[in-house]
Amino acid sequence: MSQENRLEKTTRINLLFDFYEPLLTDKQQMFLKYYFHDDYSLGEIAAEFSISRQAVYEHIKRAEQVLEMYEEKLGLMDKHYRRSRELDKLKQQLQESDLNDKQAGAVMNVIEQLEAIDRMD
């Protein structure tokens, strides 16, 4: 796997982890954190938990599959990014609109509240 593909995969897993961490087992959370967040090697994780590298690899692969399954079924990450894009479009349209400052401020306030709600989810 190329360095670029590895980075894309790591970024995707970290994002999925942000959305679905509470749905993973403690072991899945721990192994993913060590491997993707803290950049431990399979060997380092195996030594830490006194298990084989193959066992670590299988735990991580299974956790990745679970994250992808949750995203496929729930789509939280996809929905988040679609909402973000639409809110950005609204901001752009607001800047290009003929609303007075007071009206524009009120609309921007609603947009910011929606963004805040989205960050809390």
Side-chain angles (χ1 to χ4, degrees):
M1 180 181 291
S2 74
Q3 184 67 21
E4 185 176 319
N5 288 343
R6 168 102 170 106
L7 182 58
E8 286 175 17
K9 179 181 177 180
T10 298
T11 300
R12 178 168 176 78
I13 295 299
N14 281 325
L15 289 170
L16 289 171
F17 187 80
D18 288 344
F19 282 95
Y20 301 110
E21 177 182 5
L23 301 177
L24 298 173
T25 67
D26 290 342
K27 187 178 277 189
Q28 288 171 331
Q29 290 177 27
M30 188 170 23
F31 282 10
L32 288 177
K33 283 180 185 176
Y34 273 97
Y35 191 71
F36 288 105
H37 286 206
D38 302 333
D39 203 28
Y40 278 51
S41 70
L42 295 176
E44 290 170 323
I45 298 169
E48 179 77 22
F49 294 97
S50 301
I51 60 175
S52 70
R53 290 178 75 243
Q54 184 64 33
V56 172
Y57 176 81
E58 289 172 6
H59 281 296
I60 290 170
K61 284 296 161 200
R62 177 68 184 129
E64 290 176 25
Q65 291 170 348
V66 168
L67 289 174
E68 293 291 353
M69 178 200 63
Y70 285 137
E71 178 60 14
E72 182 180 316
K73 292 186 184 298
L74 301 172
L76 298 180
M77 187 172 76
D78 182 56
K79 290 173 187 172
H80 167 78
Y81 285 109
R82 286 195 334 240
R83 279 191 306 269
S84 292
R85 283 192 301 273
E86 294 305 314
L87 287 170
D88 288 343
K89 287 179 189 176
L90 276 174
K91 286 180 190 177
Q92 183 65 33
Q93 289 174 352
L94 180 60
Q95 290 175 348
E96 296 168 0
S97 74
D98 292 334
L99 295 176
N100 65 42
D101 288 345
K102 184 176 180 180
Q103 293 169 322
V107 173
M108 184 57 80
N109 187 38
V110 171
I111 291 171
E112 289 170 353
Q113 288 174 6
L114 290 170
E115 288 174 329
I117 291 168
D118 198 37
R119 283 191 299 272
M120 292 170 51
D121 288 344

